[in-house]
Amino acid sequence: MIPPDIFPIDPWCVRETRLDLDRLGQTEAVFALSNGHIGLRGNLDEGEPHVIPGTYLNSYYELRPLPYAEAGYGYPESGQTVVDVTNGKLLRLVVDDEPFDVRYGQLSEHKRTLDLRAGVLDRYADWTSPAGKRVTVSSRRLVSFAHRAVAAICYEVQAPDEPVRIILQSELVANESQPLLSKDPRVSAVLERPLDHVARDVEQHGALLLHRTRASGLLMAAGMDHVVQAPGRFAEETDAREDWARTTVVCTLQPGERLRVVKHLAYGWSSVRSAAAVRDQVAAGLTAARFTGWEGLLANQRDYLDEFWDSADVEVEGDPAVQQAVRFGLFHVLQSGSRAERRALPAKGLTGPGYDGHAFWDTEGFVLPVLTATLPSAAADALRWRHSTLDLARERARTLGLAGAAFPWRTIRGQECSAYWPAGTAAFHVNADIAMAVERYRIVTGDESLERDCGLELLVETARLWVSLGHHDAHGGWHIDGVTGPDEYTGVVDDNVFTNLMAAANLRAAAAACQRHPQLAADLGVTVEETAAWRDAAKAVHIPYDSLLGVHPQSQSFTRYGEWDFEASKDDYPLLLHEPYVRLYRKQVLKQADLVLALHWCSDAFTPEEKARNVDYYERRTVRDSSLSACTQAVMCAEVGHLELAHDYLHETALVDLRDLHDNSGSGLHMASLAGAWIALVDGFGGFRLRGERLLLDPQLPERLNRLTFRLRWHGMRLLVEVDRTQVRLSLRDGPDASMDLLLADERIHLTPDSPVVRPWTRRQPLLPRPPQPPGREPAARP
């Protein structure tokens, strides 16, 4: 774990007050900057020391073979791994004859700050070389939200005490060596020199390099440009080779004088455009950056974030750690998707190579609900990316002998990349998760253009998949057998409740969308008989129930499985690194919320009493070896009245990376868990649900939260929800004609900008006592 003093609590920034070389991997991820297209890990400007150098372009990947001891029909033949592309962050500093390296000489002061409102990473260092020459170094780094292809660094060196000769080497470097971090399957494969040189250009103030991946054949370009301000005489020269380019600035600083270099970076890639076109795109990005200037880039960044926070901020009174963490989470979720523009949203964003840079169901299940309510355009782009891979999903379905489309469990480009089919191919629920995200987008935004353009086709093809997967029994019930639900410790089961309920919702949504767009549905070959079959299957879906225990089995017969010996394994978490899956599959032990996730996402399918009993049962069996679990447990514990337990789970999901609770943040941040901090607060303590086409709010506060305020977008309007220990206040913005109807608990509310609504708040009592967790798996304690 990262101790709390490493990142002192601050509501609007993450500060590192001292440099800890043993935690470089974690801080490289925490301080990563991205706009969804470009990702720069938070490495030191000089490049060394580092754990993972880390420069990424969204969906830029290389192919690698997937080895099997015993292959089978339909197994994916190749995997996809994110490429660490040309590194433009490097600014090597030589003071007189000695390189600035924090491991040598005397580092009197070193601090870094990630400013969540300005969108910049600031750094300050006070260093004395082994020869006794002192300099101070200040840098600011940004990846632009306003200029998709652009990043920039402002690097300043000052001589406080005596004259020094400064040599600054600004570089582009391709094919950097990658470390082999661990044998943990969640860590990426290592690619050796994945980039082949295509071309290089030396410009007046910089250079540009073009490379292509060997197997996937993807072309990329990286360019740099410099604006130098130095006192007196200075020299600037640029050189380039196949895998590197260097601009060198030389000057002498007198005491109190400062060298300032603004480095503009631009990146682009393509699978279809020519080298000339990609080169010119990057050159244009550099020209635009130079024209805008450093101060202009800063102003554009602040304007973008001001607009985002105005409709997305969450204020938490009574828990400063969560206040910092939820904003940190929202900032990184924004970075993962803001300018992704029809590319995948990886589980680690662009903060590291973890999971090989793959996107999972995390995107639609956890990240898109947040973006839909705060930055809808980014959510729409992510769903359009899914649609762009629809032909690949249809092909995968045909390979599996199914109709419709079978979207991959893990992917970058759209092909299935999971070599372990019980947790990959069999996890068909990803298709319903995508359909849910399409339907949620329509309901929350009121925008039907996405549904018309591509959403209807996604709903139709996933509905066809479910009909081909499921079957009716002799009694009329509809079943889906041989699938894996969200819990990867229970694989290849019959009638997983989450999967069945989500499939039924998918079928109903598809039928309703076809009714809204009859001509478009007809163009897709949908018939009245087909939609009737969808509705019949959804109505007859089998939901297992154990009447003796009064709970829903996670899947058929789950409650008859043997109990896991939690006491014996309390020192062996995560279990996936210590136990064979074949043992886990036969026991009542859960990696993550599954049935409890169904209680959240399919809330109307359960009564309050059923929710309380199910939460009680599964709390005792869930070990949370997945970072996806804590936010769901927070939401449902809040709903059934275990508010302090929900607060504990909120801390866990919010601090998963700022405290490195899963000991793997160094390979990249957990985007779903970071989104989960918002979900735990807004869905959990705010009681946010969709009830049909309406918004439902039912707030509940734990003891230590005195006030919760959150903002979200609804049909283009901005809704402000304020909850304290006496009342709930709702207010609406954006136009005198704006209005909305919503449910506050069981009361129907009509809201307009001119008439905020205030209602008293009362605490809901739990139906059951607070449940225990498996030994050693209690949620991380709050300070």
Side-chain angles (χ1 to χ4, degrees), residues 23-30 32 41 51-52 54 56 82 179-182 184-189 346-358 657 660 662-671:
R23 293 190 171 87
L24 270 184
Q26 293 98 320
T27 55
E28 287 170 2
V30 166
R41 274 176 71 87
V51 175
I52 302 173
Y56 309 105
V82 64
L180 179 61
L181 297 175
S182 89
D184 188 330
R186 297 167 293 184
V187 176
S188 71
K348 296 281 191 175
L350 299 179
T351 66
Y355 298 114
D356 283 306
H358 291 164
D657 290 314
D660 195 14
H662 285 249
D663 194 30
N664 61 357
S665 295
S667 64
L669 305 183
H670 301 77
M671 289 302 129

Coordinates of all heavy atoms in Angstrom, one line a residue, residues 23-30 32 41 51-52 54 56 82 179-182 184-189 346-358 657 660 662-671:
R23 N 8.6 3.7 -5.3 CA 7.2 3.8 -5.7 C 7.1 4.5 -7.0 O 6.0 5.1 -7.4 CB 6.4 4.5 -4.6 CG 6.2 3.7 -3.4 CD 5.2 4.3 -2.4 NE 4.9 3.4 -1.3 CZ 5.6 3.4 -0.2 NH1 6.6 4.3 0.0 NH2 5.3 2.6 0.8
L24 N 8.2 4.5 -7.8 CA 8.1 5.2 -9.1 C 7.0 4.6 -10.0 O 6.4 5.4 -10.7 CB 9.5 5.1 -9.8 CG 10.5 6.2 -9.6 CD1 11.7 5.9 -10.4 CD2 9.9 7.6 -9.8
G25 N 6.8 3.3 -10.0 CA 5.8 2.7 -10.9 C 4.4 3.3 -10.6 O 3.7 3.6 -11.5
Q26 N 4.1 3.3 -9.3 CA 2.8 3.8 -8.9 C 2.6 5.3 -9.3 O 1.6 5.7 -9.8 CB 2.5 3.6 -7.4 CG 2.4 2.2 -7.0 CD 3.7 1.7 -6.4 OE1 4.8 2.0 -6.9 NE2 3.6 0.9 -5.4
T27 N 3.7 6.1 -9.0 CA 3.5 7.5 -9.3 C 3.5 7.8 -10.8 O 2.9 8.8 -11.3 CB 4.6 8.4 -8.6 OG1 5.9 7.9 -9.0 CG2 4.5 8.3 -7.1
E28 N 4.2 7.0 -11.6 CA 4.1 7.1 -13.0 C 2.7 7.0 -13.5 O 2.3 7.7 -14.5 CB 5.0 6.1 -13.7 CG 6.5 6.4 -13.6 CD 7.4 5.2 -14.1 OE1 6.8 4.2 -14.5 OE2 8.6 5.3 -14.0
A29 N 1.9 6.1 -12.9 CA 0.5 5.9 -13.3 C -0.3 7.0 -12.7 O -1.2 7.5 -13.5 CB 0.1 4.5 -12.8
V30 N -0.2 7.3 -11.5 CA -1.0 8.3 -10.8 C -0.9 9.7 -11.6 O -1.8 10.4 -11.8 CB -0.7 8.5 -9.4 CG1 -1.2 9.8 -8.8 CG2 -1.1 7.3 -8.6
A32 N 0.0 10.1 -14.7 CA -0.2 10.0 -16.1 C -1.1 11.1 -16.7 O -2.1 11.4 -16.0 CB -0.7 8.6 -16.5
R41 N 2.8 8.5 -19.5 CA 3.0 8.2 -18.1 C 3.8 9.3 -17.4 O 4.5 10.0 -18.0 CB 3.7 6.8 -17.9 CG 2.8 5.6 -18.0 CD 3.6 4.3 -17.9 NE 4.2 4.0 -16.7 CZ 3.6 3.4 -15.6 NH1 2.3 3.0 -15.7 NH2 4.3 3.1 -14.5
V51 N 10.3 3.1 -14.2 CA 9.8 1.7 -14.1 C 9.3 1.2 -15.5 O 9.8 0.3 -16.1 CB 8.8 1.5 -13.0 CG1 8.2 0.0 -13.1 CG2 9.4 1.8 -11.7
I52 N 8.4 2.0 -16.0 CA 7.8 1.8 -17.4 C 7.9 3.1 -18.1 O 7.3 4.1 -17.6 CB 6.4 1.3 -17.4 CG1 6.3 0.0 -16.6 CG2 5.9 1.1 -18.8 CD1 4.8 -0.5 -16.4
G54 N 6.6 4.3 -21.0 CA 5.1 4.6 -21.2 C 4.7 5.8 -22.0 O 4.4 6.9 -21.4
Y56 N 1.7 6.2 -25.1 CA 0.7 5.3 -25.8 C -0.2 6.1 -26.7 O -0.5 7.3 -26.4 CB -0.2 4.6 -24.7 CG 0.6 3.9 -23.7 CD1 0.7 4.4 -22.4 CD2 1.3 2.7 -24.0 CE1 1.5 3.8 -21.4 CE2 2.1 2.1 -23.0 CZ 2.2 2.6 -21.7 OH 3.0 2.0 -20.8
V82 N -0.8 -3.4 -26.5 CA -0.6 -2.0 -26.7 C 0.9 -1.7 -26.8 O 1.8 -2.4 -26.2 CB -1.1 -1.2 -25.5 CG1 -0.4 -1.5 -24.2 CG2 -1.1 0.3 -25.8
P179 N 10.6 -3.3 -19.3 CA 10.9 -4.2 -18.2 C 9.9 -5.4 -18.1 O 8.7 -5.3 -18.5 CB 10.7 -3.4 -17.0 CG 9.7 -2.4 -17.4 CD 9.9 -2.1 -18.8
L180 N 10.4 -6.6 -17.7 CA 9.5 -7.7 -17.4 C 9.2 -7.5 -15.9 O 10.0 -7.8 -15.0 CB 10.2 -9.0 -17.6 CG 9.4 -10.3 -17.3 CD1 8.1 -10.3 -18.1 CD2 10.3 -11.5 -17.5
L181 N 7.9 -7.1 -15.6 CA 7.6 -6.7 -14.3 C 7.2 -7.9 -13.4 O 7.5 -7.9 -12.2 CB 6.4 -5.7 -14.3 CG 6.7 -4.4 -15.1 CD1 5.5 -3.5 -15.2 CD2 7.8 -3.6 -14.3
S182 N 6.4 -8.8 -13.9 CA 6.0 -10.0 -13.0 C 5.3 -11.0 -13.9 O 5.1 -10.8 -15.1 CB 5.0 -9.5 -12.0 OG 3.7 -9.5 -12.4
D184 N 2.4 -12.1 -13.1 CA 0.9 -11.8 -12.9 C 0.2 -11.7 -14.2 O 0.6 -10.9 -15.1 CB 0.7 -10.5 -12.1 CG -0.7 -10.3 -11.6 OD1 -1.6 -10.7 -12.3 OD2 -0.9 -9.6 -10.6
P185 N -0.8 -12.5 -14.5 CA -1.5 -12.5 -15.8 C -2.2 -11.2 -16.1 O -2.5 -10.9 -17.2 CB -2.5 -13.6 -15.7 CG -2.8 -13.8 -14.2 CD -1.4 -13.5 -13.6
R186 N -2.3 -10.3 -15.1 CA -2.9 -9.0 -15.3 C -1.9 -8.0 -15.9 O -2.3 -6.9 -16.3 CB -3.5 -8.5 -14.0 CG -4.6 -9.3 -13.5 CD -5.0 -9.0 -12.0 NE -3.9 -9.3 -11.1 CZ -4.0 -9.2 -9.8 NH1 -5.1 -8.7 -9.3 NH2 -3.0 -9.5 -9.0
V187 N -0.6 -8.4 -15.9 CA 0.4 -7.5 -16.4 C 0.6 -7.9 -17.9 O 0.4 -9.0 -18.3 CB 1.7 -7.7 -15.6 CG1 2.8 -6.9 -16.2 CG2 1.5 -7.3 -14.2
S188 N 1.1 -6.9 -18.7 CA 1.1 -7.1 -20.2 C 2.3 -7.9 -20.6 O 3.3 -8.1 -19.9 CB 1.2 -5.7 -20.8 OG 2.5 -5.2 -20.6
A189 N 2.2 -8.4 -21.8 CA 3.3 -9.1 -22.5 C 4.4 -8.0 -22.8 O 4.1 -6.8 -23.0 CB 2.8 -9.8 -23.7
P346 N -9.6 1.5 -22.8 CA -8.9 0.4 -22.1 C -9.2 0.4 -20.6 O -9.5 1.4 -20.0 CB -7.4 0.6 -22.4 CG -7.4 1.6 -23.6 CD -8.6 2.4 -23.5
A347 N -9.1 -0.8 -20.0 CA -9.4 -1.0 -18.6 C -8.4 -0.1 -17.8 O -8.7 0.3 -16.7 CB -9.3 -2.4 -18.2
K348 N -7.2 0.1 -18.3 CA -6.2 0.9 -17.6 C -6.1 2.3 -18.2 O -5.1 3.0 -17.9 CB -4.8 0.2 -17.6 CG -4.8 -1.1 -16.9 CD -4.7 -0.9 -15.4 CE -4.3 -2.2 -14.7 NZ -4.1 -2.0 -13.2
G349 N -7.0 2.7 -19.1 CA -6.9 3.9 -19.8 C -5.6 3.9 -20.6 O -5.2 2.9 -21.2
L350 N -4.9 5.1 -20.7 CA -3.6 5.1 -21.3 C -2.6 5.5 -20.2 O -1.7 6.3 -20.5 CB -3.6 6.2 -22.4 CG -4.6 5.9 -23.6 CD1 -4.6 7.1 -24.6 CD2 -4.3 4.6 -24.2
T351 N -2.8 4.9 -19.1 CA -1.9 5.1 -17.9 C -0.8 4.0 -17.8 O 0.1 4.2 -16.9 CB -2.6 5.3 -16.6 OG1 -3.2 4.0 -16.3 CG2 -3.7 6.3 -16.7
G352 N -0.9 3.0 -18.5 CA 0.1 1.9 -18.4 C -0.3 0.7 -19.2 O -1.4 0.7 -19.8
P353 N 0.5 -0.3 -19.3 CA 0.3 -1.4 -20.2 C -0.5 -2.6 -19.6 O -0.6 -3.6 -20.2 CB 1.7 -1.9 -20.6 CG 2.5 -1.6 -19.4 CD 1.9 -0.4 -18.7
G354 N -1.0 -2.4 -18.4 CA -1.7 -3.5 -17.8 C -2.8 -4.1 -18.6 O -3.5 -3.3 -19.4
Y355 N -3.0 -5.4 -18.5 CA -4.0 -6.1 -19.3 C -3.8 -6.0 -20.8 O -4.7 -6.1 -21.6 CB -5.5 -5.6 -19.0 CG -5.9 -5.9 -17.6 CD1 -6.2 -4.8 -16.7 CD2 -6.1 -7.2 -17.1 CE1 -6.6 -5.0 -15.4 CE2 -6.5 -7.4 -15.7 CZ -6.7 -6.3 -14.9 OH -7.1 -6.5 -13.6
D356 N -2.5 -5.7 -21.1 CA -2.1 -5.5 -22.6 C -2.8 -4.4 -23.2 O -2.8 -4.3 -24.5 CB -2.4 -6.8 -23.3 CG -1.3 -7.9 -23.1 OD1 -0.1 -7.6 -23.3 OD2 -1.7 -9.0 -22.7
G357 N -3.4 -3.4 -22.5 CA -4.1 -2.3 -23.1 C -5.5 -2.7 -23.6 O -6.1 -1.9 -24.4
H358 N -6.0 -3.8 -23.1 CA -7.3 -4.2 -23.6 C -8.5 -3.5 -23.0 O -8.5 -3.1 -21.8 CB -7.5 -5.7 -23.3 CG -6.6 -6.6 -24.1 ND1 -6.3 -7.9 -23.9 CD2 -5.8 -6.3 -25.3 CE1 -5.5 -8.4 -24.8 NE2 -5.2 -7.4 -25.6
D657 N -6.2 3.3 -6.3 CA -4.9 3.6 -6.9 C -4.1 4.6 -6.1 O -2.9 4.6 -6.1 CB -5.2 4.2 -8.3 CG -5.6 3.1 -9.3 OD1 -5.0 2.0 -9.3 OD2 -6.6 3.3 -10.0
D660 N -2.9 2.2 -3.8 CA -2.4 1.0 -4.5 C -2.9 -0.2 -3.7 O -2.1 -1.1 -3.3 CB -0.9 1.0 -4.6 CG -0.4 -0.1 -5.6 OD1 -1.3 -0.6 -6.4 OD2 0.8 -0.4 -5.6
H662 N -4.6 -2.9 -4.5 CA -4.4 -4.2 -5.2 C -3.0 -4.5 -5.6 O -2.7 -5.5 -6.2 CB -5.4 -4.3 -6.4 CG -6.8 -4.5 -6.0 ND1 -7.5 -5.7 -6.2 CD2 -7.7 -3.6 -5.4 CE1 -8.7 -5.5 -5.8 NE2 -8.9 -4.3 -5.3
D663 N -2.1 -3.6 -5.2 CA -0.6 -3.8 -5.5 C -0.3 -4.0 -6.9 O 0.5 -4.8 -7.3 CB -0.1 -5.0 -4.6 CG 1.4 -5.1 -4.6 OD1 2.0 -4.0 -4.6 OD2 1.9 -6.2 -4.5
N664 N -1.1 -3.3 -7.8 CA -0.8 -3.4 -9.2 C -1.1 -2.1 -10.0 O -1.2 -2.1 -11.2 CB -1.6 -4.6 -9.9 CG -3.1 -4.4 -9.8 OD1 -3.6 -3.4 -9.2 ND2 -3.8 -5.3 -10.4
S665 N -1.1 -1.0 -9.3 CA -1.4 0.3 -9.9 C -0.2 0.7 -10.8 O -0.4 1.5 -11.7 CB -1.7 1.3 -8.9 OG -2.9 1.1 -8.2
G666 N 1.0 0.2 -10.5 CA 2.1 0.5 -11.3 C 2.0 0.2 -12.8 O 2.6 0.9 -13.6
S667 N 1.2 -0.8 -13.1 CA 1.0 -1.1 -14.5 C -0.1 -0.4 -15.1 O -0.5 -0.6 -16.3 CB 0.8 -2.6 -14.7 OG -0.4 -3.0 -14.1
G668 N -0.7 0.6 -14.4 CA -1.8 1.4 -14.9 C -3.0 1.4 -13.9 O -3.2 0.6 -13.1
L669 N -3.7 2.5 -14.0 CA -4.8 2.8 -13.0 C -6.0 2.0 -13.4 O -6.2 1.5 -14.6 CB -5.2 4.3 -13.0 CG -4.0 5.2 -12.7 CD1 -4.5 6.7 -12.6 CD2 -3.3 4.9 -11.4
H670 N -6.9 1.8 -12.5 CA -8.1 1.0 -12.7 C -9.3 1.9 -13.0 O -10.0 2.4 -12.1 CB -8.5 0.2 -11.4 CG -7.4 -0.7 -10.9 ND1 -6.2 -0.3 -10.3 CD2 -7.3 -2.1 -11.0 CE1 -5.5 -1.3 -10.0 NE2 -6.1 -2.4 -10.4
M671 N -9.6 2.1 -14.3 CA -10.6 3.0 -14.7 C -12.0 2.7 -14.2 O -12.7 3.6 -13.8 CB -10.6 3.1 -16.3 CG -9.4 3.8 -16.9 SD -9.2 5.5 -16.3 CE -7.4 5.4 -15.9

